[in-house]
Amino acid sequence: MKIQVLGTGCAKCKSLEKAVREVVAQNGIDAEVTKVEDIMEIMKFNVMSTPALVVDGKVVVKGRVPSNDELKQILTNKIFLI
Amino acid sequence: MKWNRKIGWTLLALPVWYLLYSNLQRFADGLVGLFPGLSAGAPLTEALRFFVFEFPKVLLLLVLIIFFVGIVRSFFTPERTRKALEGKNTFVGNVMAAMLGIVTPFCSCSAIPLFLGFVESGVPLGITFSFLIAAPMINEVAVVLLYGMFGWNTVLIYISTGLVIAIVAGWIIGRLRLEKWVEEWVYATHFEKGETEDEKISFSQRIEMGLTAVREIVSKVWLYVALGIAVGAGVHGYVPAEFMASLMGKDVWYAVPLSVLIGVPLYSNAAGIVPIVSVLIEKGAALGTALAFMMSVIALSLPEMIILKKVLKLPLILTFAAIVATGIMLVGFLFNFIM
């Protein structure tokens, strides 16, 4: 699974990246987590509010930092909110 | 199950909030009364009484209003706002953009993706600016603090003049046709515009978002509020009442432009600036001058302009700052004139 955290470097973006890495590590999820900071790359996802979470090329969360519980649900069950 | 419990607790918190809020004066008097050394009327006693009443009051108001604003904002996303603004003609578009700027969640760190997203999808430049001006200028923390310290009249003045500035400034920028001062690549590149669906959000998630907003904002601003009110309490008791009158009073015409010039490069959140403004007013500064100072501090800031430099050329940034600063000055003069 490929997880991307989109964010230009604001505080919320960092906390989303941190939370995602935590959830991935705690639940032994097989995923590669990367941070996308380049604005042109971010715009390619058609996202206007950062931070955003992209799983396998699909935007699943934008503009907010979900709780660790919700992240776990998103990443393990792949319940896509969008 | 877990979500429902959260809703239950939140509903229960409302009457508790009301009880606390309506008994604050009694609580403050009781607390001050616990110390027999403090005689009523002495400057120290009054300063303390001011603080133990004002600080919890403002904190309670902040929690309540930010909670509801957080819920309201969960209904507005930048995507929906963009859709509403697409293809709108000027003026109507400017009015809508300024109003949506108040309710759409916005943080200056996502100003660039938002700007690109708007302009790329055909929202006119001037309308985009109306949004970008209103979003930081009309701020819920400022609303709470102004209400707590001055009452509803001042809040209405603040919101309505902020809206007018955002509408007119955006309209002027649109009329001046300044697209040539937007970096070329903005219009040259075209991003794939896939239809994004809206996130489906349940009511309990909205409550959760309200609570998150409260946690985030209150943990960030409480210290500024405390410091601001402490300074206010100190000045309240010790500084002569007309101290600021000769510097920022009604009759000092140059105080308005000077306050704006000082305020523009300054950057502070509303929580830090409003208590200071209230002290200035209490000590004789004119309301218009003090409001102009506050607006210029929160609406225009150097960090924001540096961020915008990525997509806008310098002349456009300067024009934008000049138009907004002029608008704020006019508001300052107007209020000094009529009040």
Side-chain angles (χ1 to χ4, degrees), chain A residues 8 10 12 46 48 64 69, chain B residues 2 78 109 191 194 199 216:
Chain A
T8 43
C10 54
K12 275 187 185 179
N46 200 20
M48 280 196 291
R64 63 192 182 96
D69 283 348
Chain B
K2 203 175 137 225
C109 54
F191 301 105
E199 215 173 323
E216 262 168 25

Side-chain angles (χ1 to χ4, degrees), chain B residues 46-47 50 54 149-150 228-245 248 274-287 290:
Chain B
E46 292 319 305
F50 182 80
E54 286 294 326
M149 293 171 176
F150 306 110
I229 295 174
V231 170
V235 172
H236 186 71
Y238 294 101
V239 175
E242 290 306 304
F243 182 72
M244 288 307 294
M248 289 176 81
V274 177
I276 291 171
V277 164
S278 89
V279 171
L280 292 177
I281 291 177
E282 197 188 309
K283 297 306 166 191
L287 180 67

Side-chain angles (χ1 to χ4, degrees), chain B residues 311-335:
Chain B
V311 285
L312 307 177
K313 291 179 185 165
L314 195 60
L316 181 47
I317 295 184
L318 294 179
T319 312
F320 153 66
I323 293 174
V324 176
T326 310
I328 295 173
M329 272 181 221
L330 291 178
V331 165
F333 281 127
L334 181 72
F335 279 98

